[in-house]
Amino acid sequence: MNPYLDDDLIALKEQARRFAANRVAPGFQERDRTRVLDRGLMKEMGEMGFIAPELPEAFGGLGLGCLAAGVIHEEIARADLSMSYVNLLASLNGQILAQHGAPEIVKPWLARLTAGDALLAIALTEPRGGSDAANLRLRIERDGDDYVVNGEKTSISAADQADAAVVFGRTGTIESGAHGVTALLVPMDLPGITLSRFDCHGQRAIGRGSLFFENVRVPASHRLGAENKGFVQVMQGFDFSRALIGLQTLAVARAALDETWDYVAQRQAFGKPLSAFQGVSHPLADFDTQVEAARLLCLQALWLKDQGLPHSAEAAMCKGWAPKLAYDAVHQCLLMFGHGGYDRGAMEQRLRDILGFQIGDGTAQIMMTIIARARAGRDAVPA
């Protein structure tokens, strides 16, 4: 029990946990081996109302709020972090489309998204830089009723599986920085788009890759937000996704900790359970404490968003703290299992899956800068 979750949210969480245990967890390792995201399972999630439930009903959601998305998100992630990427991408992209897109264009996409019939990527990162996200080179040029897109995006989650992508590109001058960026909703079946997939260390079912655009014509009606204002308007949505990522990674750590506590309480050494040795139980107790505290911070960030209150610093704290904490916790759990943990299995897959979140969606260093700017003011922390 905690102050953020009422009876309705607890009931929703339990429903999601049963679904995740019965339907998501059994294919966890198989999806990692085959690198195939189960579209049938994604459809089931949509039918259960588990994809972007925070969206208004007019846009295909349930109007349940961001905490509802959070509790579902962590239960799916507990079973399979790669599968929970469906929830993460849907919540981030769904918010962007609902707030900044032309209703006649985005409503059909949002209906497919929440039903589990479509997967949307977000295409921001480029080969020349990741953390300098506003320094984009992909060109978006107006030509009559269309925009023409040329360039490359890289390290894009679900690059070769997405049905559409929110693509950021430069419509202004290089010198205009963030104030010369426009966002478009780009269907991935348009002529001139080429996809590739990387052989990543983890999160292999969702995958990452590059998108190549060669004279791709996108209707001007697919613009999201105002021209040259896309970065400033749309990037606000990342506060939401950063809190969700915190819950996502901490759920994986919680699953690992629960299994490890059971194991060390039963495993015998020198005539005692492993848990009787402080060198075993104290590190686990420390990580257990930190994971619980970090989870409450993530729920706090989502609660603030539901209340319409500022939450950029809190969201950055979630993203800056939780992925590394979760990685370190799972690493410790793996060591507790000895050679059994080192073998290919659930524990080592969790470690591989979590690692990527220390890189993507904003590094810990960028998150610390965001927190510092929120506290001291942007002028006092210019870079």
Side-chain angles (χ1 to χ4, degrees):
M1 299 292 292
N2 64 63
Y4 302 108
L5 305 185
D6 58 20
D7 290 343
D8 289 339
L9 286 172
I10 292 171
L12 180 63
K13 181 178 176 64
E14 290 303 318
Q15 182 187 25
R17 176 167 291 197
R18 289 192 297 271
F19 175 85
N22 294 332
R23 297 292 299 123
V24 180
F28 167 53
Q29 294 179 260
E30 180 64 19
R31 287 187 291 271
D32 181 71
R33 284 192 291 268
T34 62
R35 302 174 68 196
V36 174
L37 191 72
D38 190 337
R39 286 279 183 144
L41 185 55
M42 189 172 88
K43 174 95 174 150
E44 288 183 49
M45 290 165 58
E47 291 171 348
M48 296 289 290
F50 289 162
I51 300 177
E54 73 282 359
L55 287 175
E57 292 183 32
F59 289 107
L62 301 176
L64 294 181
C66 297
L67 277 168
V71 299
I72 293 170
H73 195 68
E74 63 180 343
E75 293 304 331
I76 302 298
R78 180 185 176 94
D80 183 356
L81 185 141
S82 262
M83 204 67 207
S84 71
Y85 241 107
V86 171
N87 306 82
L88 178 66
L89 290 172
S91 286
L92 175 56
N93 286 306
Q95 177 177 259
I96 292 170
L97 266 60
Q99 292 182 359
H100 301 290
E104 67 275 14
I105 300 299
V106 302
K107 274 190 173 182
W109 279 105
L110 289 170
R112 292 179 60 194
L113 187 75
T114 53
D117 289 329
L119 183 65
L120 269 64
I122 186 156
L124 179 62
T125 303
E126 295 184 1
R128 65 180 294 119
S131 294
D132 189 6
N135 187 23
L136 302 181
R137 292 297 189 271
L138 179 137
R139 289 297 308 174
I140 296 177
E141 298 177 318
R142 186 68 179 259
D143 183 19
D145 292 332
D146 294 336
Y147 284 103
V148 180
V149 183
N150 281 283
E152 178 185 354
K153 295 293 182 179
T154 194
S155 194
I156 307 304
S157 298
D160 68 331
Q161 304 196 74
D163 301 288
V166 174
V167 179
F168 295 83
R170 184 155 301 284
T171 42
T173 64
I174 296 296
E175 293 73 22
S176 61
H179 298 284
V181 172
T182 297
L184 301 176
L185 172 62
V186 182
M188 287 293 98
D189 58 358
L190 293 179
I193 298 177
T194 305
L195 313 173
S196 73
R197 186 166 187 174
F198 306 152
D199 186 11
C200 286
H201 184 66
Q203 302 174 17
R204 290 170 61 82
I206 193 70
R208 279 183 174 79
S210 289
L211 307 175
F212 302 90
F213 301 86
E214 185 176 359
N215 294 323
V216 178
R217 301 189 74 89
V218 182
S221 58
H222 284 53
R223 190 181 69 219
L224 302 168
E227 188 167 289
N228 293 327
K229 302 296 183 183
F231 187 85
V232 176
Q233 291 177 336
V234 175
M235 283 295 286
Q236 295 171 359
F238 280 84
D239 288 343
F240 182 26
S241 63
R242 285 166 181 159
L244 291 178
I245 286 169
L247 288 177
Q248 188 178 26
T249 54
L250 294 169
V252 177
R254 172 52 59 197
L257 284 165
D258 288 350
E259 290 177 12
T260 305
W261 279 121
D262 288 343
Y263 175 78
V264 299
Q266 297 173 22
R267 176 83 171 187
Q268 296 283 318
F270 306 103
K272 300 177 182 179
L274 285 179
S275 56
F277 298 93
Q278 293 181 357
V280 171
S281 60
H282 284 194
L284 291 178
D286 182 42
F287 279 119
D288 206 305
T289 301
Q290 293 188 62
V291 166
E292 189 65 19
R295 177 175 179 261
L296 290 172
L297 174 62
C298 296
L299 294 176
Q300 166 80 357
L302 294 178
W303 180 85
L304 288 169
K305 180 172 175 57
D306 278 337
Q307 304 305 308
L309 297 172
H311 56 285
S312 293
E314 289 78 6
M317 292 172 190
C318 297
K319 180 61 177 64
W321 183 21
K324 185 180 187 305
L325 170 61
Y327 183 87
D328 291 344
V330 176
H331 183 203
Q332 183 65 56
C333 290
L334 184 152
L335 295 176
M336 294 298 181
F337 279 84
H339 288 289
Y342 192 59
D343 289 343
R344 288 280 183 179
M347 202 64 75
E348 67 85 27
Q349 185 179 332
R350 290 178 182 133
L351 198 65
R352 289 188 286 109
D353 283 347
I354 288 176
L355 179 59
F357 275 125
Q358 292 188 54
I359 304 169
D361 294 85
T363 63
Q365 292 85 350
I366 293 296
M367 295 304 106
M368 296 306 106
T369 297
I370 292 171
I371 296 165
R373 285 174 173 173
R375 296 296 187 250
R378 189 178 184 91
D379 291 341
V381 190

